[in-house]
Amino acid sequence: EADIYQTPRYLVIGTGKKITLECSQTMGHDKMYWYQQDPGMELHLIHYSYGVNSTEKGDLSSESTVSRIRTEHFPLTLESARPSHTSQYLCASSGQTSRSYNEQFFGPGTRLTVL
Amino acid sequence: AQSVSQHNHHVILSEAASLELGCNYSYGGTVNLFWYVQYPGQHLQLLLKYFSGDPLVKGIKGFEAEFIKSKFSFNLRKPSVQWSDTAEYFCAVIAAAGNMLTFGGGTRLMVKP
């Protein structure tokens, strides 16, 4: 079944560690996105990609980096995690439909806590 | 740049009550509009969407929304809520030719049995 996957679902880690949040989709979509969502707050776009080897920063500045080496895979990396990075990270994808590119499908999210 | 405003941050209703959640956006051009729902412990799901045509759109689980262009609004409605509608609801907008989906702050709905 076509879907979008994120691992891990929950991560508790110490300050200074390098972490990679995984996102994969089997929907054949070429656009992928990372959002950051603090509890009870709105979603903010931090990175997006139009396709392989394409990455752009979103409207919220983030110390994380992303890569898009394969269409289906869009990992997010924090080189040195800090408590200020504690948040929920949501991955999404969108693709060409008969009407629009603009409907996004979301993964289950990764809830990150940095101690 | 576009922005989205959801007026109610928290709403508490009893079962069978009617629901209306407000959503206003600021953008002068053609937009695509969405309502997403996030049930407790689950990921964001699309509730309904508007691209063009009939401004009254129907979504899943008995929800509907009306696009009123003159008011820049896309309010979500349901005639009779159920306990299972307890969730957080997000309105989102993207310029039709754009590439960034902008979300509102969300409305947390609690339905009392």
Side-chain angles (χ1 to χ4, degrees), chain B residues 42-60:
Chain B
Q42 296 188 29
H43 57 92
L44 231 60
Q45 302 171 42
L46 184 69
L47 204 52
L48 47 77
K49 60 193 176 188
Y50 172 81
F51 289 144
S52 63
D54 188 346
L56 183 64
V57 292
K58 295 190 183 298
I60 59 172

Side-chain angles (χ1 to χ4, degrees), chain B residues 40-83:
Chain B
Q42 296 188 29
H43 57 92
L44 231 60
Q45 302 171 42
L46 184 69
L47 204 52
L48 47 77
K49 60 193 176 188
Y50 172 81
F51 289 144
S52 63
D54 188 346
L56 183 64
V57 292
K58 295 190 183 298
I60 59 172
K61 304 186 180 184
F63 286 91
E64 65 178 32
E66 185 175 13
F67 172 49
I68 303 179
K69 189 175 181 179
S70 61
K71 294 185 178 180
F72 297 90
S73 70
F74 190 55
N75 292 355
L76 180 72
R77 299 194 294 250
K78 185 170 182 178
S80 176
V81 295
Q82 300 172 324
W83 175 79

Side-chain angles (χ1 to χ4, degrees), chain A residues 86-107:
Chain A
T86 295
S87 189
Q88 177 163 241
Y89 293 84
L90 294 171
C91 182
S93 70
S94 66
Q96 184 87 49
T97 69
S98 61
R99 302 198 66 179
S100 171
Y101 250 117
N102 291 335
E103 180 179 343
Q104 295 185 16
F105 296 83
F106 285 81

Side-chain angles (χ1 to χ4, degrees), chain B residues 13-30:
Chain B
L13 295 172
S14 297
E15 275 195 312
S18 65
L19 170 72
E20 180 159 3
L21 301 183
C23 173
N24 285 89
Y25 67 93
S26 65
Y27 181 74
T30 303

Side-chain angles (χ1 to χ4, degrees), chain A residues 9 31 33 35 37 40-43 45 48 50 57-59 88 99-100 102-104 106-108, chain B residues 32 34 36 38 41 43-44 46 49 51-52 88 90 94-96 98-101 103-105 108:
Chain A
R9 293 290 309 278
K31 287 189 176 181
Y33 314 83
Y35 292 87
Q37 182 188 25
M41 303 294 285
E42 62 212 82
L43 282 75
L45 182 68
Y48 62 99
Y50 287 146
K57 290 192 178 294
D59 57 0
Q88 177 163 241
R99 302 198 66 179
S100 171
N102 291 335
E103 180 179 343
Q104 295 185 16
F106 285 81
Chain B
N32 298 156
F34 305 84
Y36 282 88
Q38 190 169 29
H43 57 92
L44 231 60
L46 184 69
K49 60 193 176 188
F51 289 144
S52 63
E88 190 157 18
F90 292 92
I94 186 170
N99 54 33
M100 259 190 222
L101 193 61
F103 284 84
R108 199 175 289 270

Side-chain angles (χ1 to χ4, degrees), chain A residues 6 21 23 33-35 45-47 66 74-76 89-91:
Chain A
Q6 287 186 247
L21 309 184
C23 176
Y33 314 83
W34 276 103
Y35 292 87
L45 182 68
I46 51 175
H47 299 284
V66 291
F74 191 41
L76 180 145
Y89 293 84
L90 294 171
C91 182

